[in-house]
Structures are given as structure tokens and as C-alpha cells.
Amino acid sequence: ELLFGTVDSYLIWRLTNGRIHATDRTNASRTMLFNINTLDWDDELLKLFDIPRCMLPEIKCSGDDFGFANINGVQIPINAAVGDQQSALFGQRCFSAGMAKNTYGTGCFMLMNTGSEIKRSQNGLLTSVAADVRESDVQYALEGSVFVGGAVIQWLRDELRIISDSADTEYFASKVKDNGGVYLVPAFTGLGAPYWDMYARGAIVGITRGTKREHIIRAAEESIAYQCAQLLEAMQKDSGIKTDSLFVDGGASRDAFLMQFQSDIMDIKLIRPQNHESTAIGAAFLAGLYCGIFEDKSKLETLCGGVMEFSPKMQQSERERLLSGWKKAVGRSLNWADM
């Protein structure tokens, strides 16, 4: 009488007129019912939550046969279903252990490919299964989330009203030589990885009589980069891999000031593709590989188009000073509930 699944399994069910009840590993892993070791529904968890296995969708690879959708009498194959961040990791061609991508949206989502080995995080990250097209090609990833990324820019525009358009932040942030000692911690809904503190609240610290709106705008931009830098630091500790480059995408990756500061504060090269829609590209690559449009993953490298690179220019002493100031500011935010 009843079926249970994720949004993708519902869409597949509807598109195939109820013929296919299936999902992929990446989406299944978000249900709290999936075992990333066995790559199947976990009997212990099913028993705990009293969920009959027969309700659940069949689990497939991310690139696989998900049936056909009848669109105006035309049978169109559905050959990919994949979680958005795992799709972006695939779309950025992060196929080897140690390769990582960061998506700059309302929040920020960083994933690092850890290869065939499951890495259990000791630094507040999630261990996830990555996307692929073959049963034998199982890869895993470490994932970290920043709750408020680009949303802090929306806050400047809509609530503080100190900018009229989100694109203005790059201009104003470049009008001052530094942040003037101002740090903005955008813990509007708590802090995500590596802190996971739901009670943390936003803070602006370091304000003096000389603080201008440009300093606050710049501090907001920098806050995105600081949070992502801490994600990368946690990933490198957990994986034991020193990453020398980071692939970036998403709306805020168009901001050249933010990308350069991100490169500076992480001390690594950032690679931004010409096409920012890595999630859609990843799903297309998975479908194309499954149905034979692309022979193998190496063929995808020729489709990347142009890229823009940002290399670090900041002195190590300045980087350490700024990160120290950021961590002090976060400390004020974390302690808010105790005040």
C-alpha cells in the first residue's frame, strides 16, 4: 500500500508511470537507512525504525538504467540519478583521492574524494559515498558544510541594506586595503562543520571609530573564505592528504575578490571552470558514461573548456594573523549561549 523513497525516487516513479522504484547510492545515503560499507539498506537500522525493506527503492549506481520517461510519445532513457554535491564533485572531474571541490551557494559545500577507502572523520565532517557508474568502482568522500555562505551577502543587501545588489560586494570590498580588524561571523542559524554548534549566533567584532561600511562588506566576504578554509583544514587532517588545488563552482565563485582571498587564506590554487553549473554537468557525465556517449572518464577531460586559476599571493605571517583573528571571533560566537 505504501512506498518510501527520496525526491529522486519519487520523480523516477512518476516519470516512468510507476514502473521503476529506484534511487542511487548517494541519495540513499541521506536517509539514515543506508550502509556505506555494504552499499545496501542496513537491516539493523530498518529494524530499529520498523521499516519494511519492501517499501524501499532499489539501489543503483548513480549512472545506471532508471527506466524510460514517456514525453509526448517519445521514450527518453533516464540514465542518471545523483545527489547534488556528489554530482558537482563528479562534474568537476575529481576522480582521484585528494581531489576536492567547493560549491559557493547560499551555503558552501566542500567534498574531497578519498578513493576506495572510507575515512572516518575526527574533525566534524561527514563520510559519504561518491558517485560512479560501475558497481566495482566504489569511491568515498569527506563532506563539510557551511550554513551561511552567499546568504551573508543577501543579508547585507536585504536586512542591513548597505548594498543594493549582491554583485556590489566585490567592488566595495576592494575599496579598502584590508578588513580594518573587523571580523563578521555569520552564525545566523548556528555553525556547521567543523563546529556543529546550533546555539552559536552571529557576531561582528573589532569595530572601531574608523570602521566603514566597506570594512563590514569586506568582513562578510572574508567570512565565507574563512569558513571554507576550516573545512579544507579538517579534510586534510582526516584524509592525511595535502591538497594543492581546489575546484570551485556556484554563484559566488564569480566573485574575483572572494576567489583570490580564498586562495590566499588557504594557500592553495583555485580552479574555476568556465561553466559554473557543475552539478548539472556531473549528472550529464554520469548518464553519458552509462549509455556509451563517453567511452571512459578520461574522455571527459577534453570537455572541460576554459578555466580561470587563482594562486596565493599572501605572506604566511599575514595568513596566520588573519586566521588567528577569525578563530578569536568565532570563539565569541560560540560562547554566546553562555553569556
Side-chain angles (χ1 to χ4, degrees), residues 193-244:
Y195 298 102
W196 293 114
D197 187 336
M198 62 185 289
Y199 299 108
R201 287 296 174 264
I204 304 177
V205 301
I207 296 175
T208 67
R209 181 63 181 81
T211 298
K212 302 187 291 187
R213 73 165 176 165
E214 287 85 354
H215 290 122
I216 294 175
I217 292 169
R218 180 167 180 140
E221 287 256 81
E222 291 182 354
S223 74
I224 302 172
Y226 288 130
Q227 292 177 94
C228 294
Q230 290 197 282
L231 291 184
L232 184 66
E233 181 184 9
M235 285 183 178
Q236 292 183 147
K237 287 179 179 177
D238 283 334
S239 67
I241 301 171
K242 173 66 175 173
T243 305
D244 59 4

Side-chain angles (χ1 to χ4, degrees), residues 25-168:
R25 297 167 178 168
T26 64
N27 284 296
S29 69
R30 290 299 185 262
T31 63
M32 291 182 65
L33 302 173
F34 181 75
N35 188 318
I36 64 172
N37 296 281
T38 64
L39 302 176
D40 195 6
W41 302 118
D42 189 283
D43 288 326
E44 184 179 357
L45 291 172
L46 295 181
K47 182 179 179 181
L48 178 67
F49 293 113
D50 193 23
I51 297 176
R53 181 181 277 264
C54 62
M55 290 177 64
L56 300 173
E58 178 186 358
I59 299 171
K60 294 175 173 282
C61 295
S62 300
D64 212 321
D65 178 8
F66 291 93
F68 290 83
N70 189 322
I71 308 296
N72 296 326
V74 179
Q75 295 292 313
I76 299 176
I78 305 170
N79 289 142
V82 57
D84 56 352
Q85 299 310 320
Q86 290 94 335
S87 186
L89 187 71
F90 201 88
Q92 288 277 31
R93 303 164 189 81
C94 296
F95 301 141
S96 302
M99 297 183 73
K101 73 89 195 173
N102 194 29
T103 297
Y104 295 82
T106 304
C108 297
F109 303 92
M110 187 181 297
L111 271 73
M112 175 190 280
N113 187 323
T114 60
S116 59
E117 186 178 354
I118 295 177
K119 298 283 188 178
R120 300 294 183 187
S121 178
Q122 304 299 314
N123 295 279
L125 304 175
L126 303 177
T127 303
S128 177
V129 63
D132 219 315
V133 294
R134 294 183 181 87
E135 290 286 349
S136 58
D137 293 343
V138 183
Q139 290 192 320
Y140 295 91
L142 286 169
E143 178 175 356
S145 303
V146 169
F147 293 161
V148 179
V152 71
I153 306 304
Q154 297 168 358
W155 177 71
L156 294 179
R157 181 194 64 198
D158 300 336
E159 274 69 47
L160 290 193
R161 300 182 184 180
I162 59 175
I163 57 172
S164 57
D165 189 277
S166 297
D168 294 341

Side-chain angles (χ1 to χ4, degrees), residues 5-15 20-28 30-31 57-58 60-61 66 78 80-83:
T6 47
V7 171
D8 62 299
S9 65
Y10 173 76
L11 292 173
I12 292 166
W13 174 264
R14 298 291 291 177
L15 288 169
I20 304 294
H21 183 43
T23 187
D24 88 304
R25 297 167 178 168
T26 64
N27 284 296
R30 290 299 185 262
T31 63
E58 178 186 358
K60 294 175 173 282
C61 295
F66 291 93
I78 305 170
V82 57

